[in-house]
Amino acid sequence: MRDFNLLHFLHPSLKFAEQGQALFEQIHHVISWFDLLFLEQRYERWLVYFYGFIDFLKEGEIEELCGRLSMNEKLRKRVKGGKLQADQALLQMFSWINTDRQPKRSEIYSVLDPLSIESKLFMMAKTTQVMTRRYISLYFTQLKDTKPLLRGTDLIQMGMKSGPSIRKVLTDLLKARLDEQVSLGRMRWSISRKPKGWNDGRR
């Protein structure tokens, strides 16, 4: 489309200069790396490239392009939301790097876990920061499948009252496990601290 000067028919601001070509090449490398992890996670490869395609457009221009491509509302939200979340997460990680702050593993997880696979792969391709790529790689290879060693039903059986406090305890246990502060052998010690909402067994 670039060679035949057709991009402006999609949107007047669309260009594919050397910077865009370099981003597409990086996306190709990142996707190849991800596929070799054999994580068996489904994702839309075209969407990662599309994020690269629209990376130099403003928010309003992205909306116009989606309209010209006759995207339905669900897909539009996915495209705009995924791109915005990726850019915000990149800013967060850059702030860590810029202030020489080493984030906890749980912080990396909290930033990346809500994002789609496509957004994370696009981030990895777009960033020029080696540390950002390491954070994303760490998420995919070590953090993404981390779960608390106990479930809500386990906490109730151990004497905790059901309610919002259970969610907080599970969140705290997940953070502790991500940050390698607890193991299965130490889990009962964490529970024995009896956070707010705990029932000591007396009815």
Side-chain angles (χ1 to χ4, degrees), residues 80-194:
K80 293 186 297 181
K83 177 66 166 55
L84 178 61
Q85 289 177 332
D87 288 340
Q88 290 175 338
L90 283 173
L91 286 174
Q92 176 63 64
M93 292 186 172
F94 180 74
S95 72
W96 294 336
I97 298 169
N98 197 42
T99 57
D100 292 324
R101 179 172 177 270
Q102 180 60 47
K104 295 180 180 179
R105 291 159 61 96
S106 60
E107 292 178 301
I108 298 171
Y109 179 92
S110 295
V111 169
L112 292 175
D113 195 60
L115 276 62
S116 67
I117 295 176
E118 294 87 357
S119 294
K120 289 188 276 275
L121 294 179
F122 171 69
M123 288 172 59
M124 203 171 193
K126 179 179 177 178
T127 185
T128 59
Q129 301 292 327
V130 174
M131 284 306 302
T132 296
R133 293 196 182 101
R134 288 179 181 173
Y135 294 149
I136 301 171
S137 175
L138 176 68
Y139 172 84
F140 279 125
T141 58
Q142 297 185 35
L143 306 182
K144 73 178 185 65
D145 292 325
T146 305
K147 305 292 181 186
L149 291 174
L150 296 177
R151 299 173 298 175
T153 53
D154 298 319
L155 297 177
I156 293 174
Q157 289 175 1
M158 295 174 70
M160 189 172 184
K161 292 180 180 179
S162 60
S165 54
I166 285 186
R167 179 182 294 274
K168 183 181 185 307
V169 171
L170 290 175
T171 299
D172 290 343
L173 291 176
L174 175 59
K175 288 181 179 179
R177 191 175 184 201
L178 285 165
D179 295 332
E180 300 178 323
Q181 296 174 346
V182 295
S183 61
L184 184 58
R186 297 179 58 192
M187 188 63 69
R188 290 185 179 274
W189 174 85
S190 299
I191 299 303
S192 68
R193 298 175 65 187
K194 298 184 178 180

Side-chain angles (χ1 to χ4, degrees), residues 61-74:
E61 293 171 338
I62 294 175
E63 177 66 35
E64 292 175 7
L65 176 60
C66 290
R68 293 189 180 197
L69 293 175
S70 300
M71 291 185 180
N72 59 42
E73 188 62 26
K74 181 179 180 181

Side-chain angles (χ1 to χ4, degrees), residues 13-116:
S13 299
L14 268 180
K15 298 177 181 179
F16 200 73
E18 291 184 7
Q19 190 174 3
Q21 183 172 340
L23 179 55
F24 264 53
E25 290 175 356
Q26 193 60 38
I27 289 173
H28 171 75
H29 293 318
V30 167
I31 285 178
S32 297
W33 167 82
F34 183 74
D35 289 343
L36 287 174
L37 293 179
F38 297 105
L39 299 179
E40 298 183 356
Q41 287 187 295
R42 297 181 60 183
Y43 70 100
E44 300 287 349
R45 185 174 302 196
W46 71 268
L47 186 54
V48 186
Y49 282 103
F50 192 75
Y51 286 150
F53 190 58
I54 64 176
D55 188 47
F56 307 104
L57 295 181
K58 299 177 181 177
E59 185 176 352
E61 293 171 338
I62 294 175
E63 177 66 35
E64 292 175 7
L65 176 60
C66 290
R68 293 189 180 197
L69 293 175
S70 300
M71 291 185 180
N72 59 42
E73 188 62 26
K74 181 179 180 181
L75 185 54
R76 288 190 193 195
K77 289 182 178 179
R78 185 180 178 190
V79 167
K80 293 186 297 181
K83 177 66 166 55
L84 178 61
Q85 289 177 332
D87 288 340
Q88 290 175 338
L90 283 173
L91 286 174
Q92 176 63 64
M93 292 186 172
F94 180 74
S95 72
W96 294 336
I97 298 169
N98 197 42
T99 57
D100 292 324
R101 179 172 177 270
Q102 180 60 47
K104 295 180 180 179
R105 291 159 61 96
S106 60
E107 292 178 301
I108 298 171
Y109 179 92
S110 295
V111 169
L112 292 175
D113 195 60
L115 276 62
S116 67

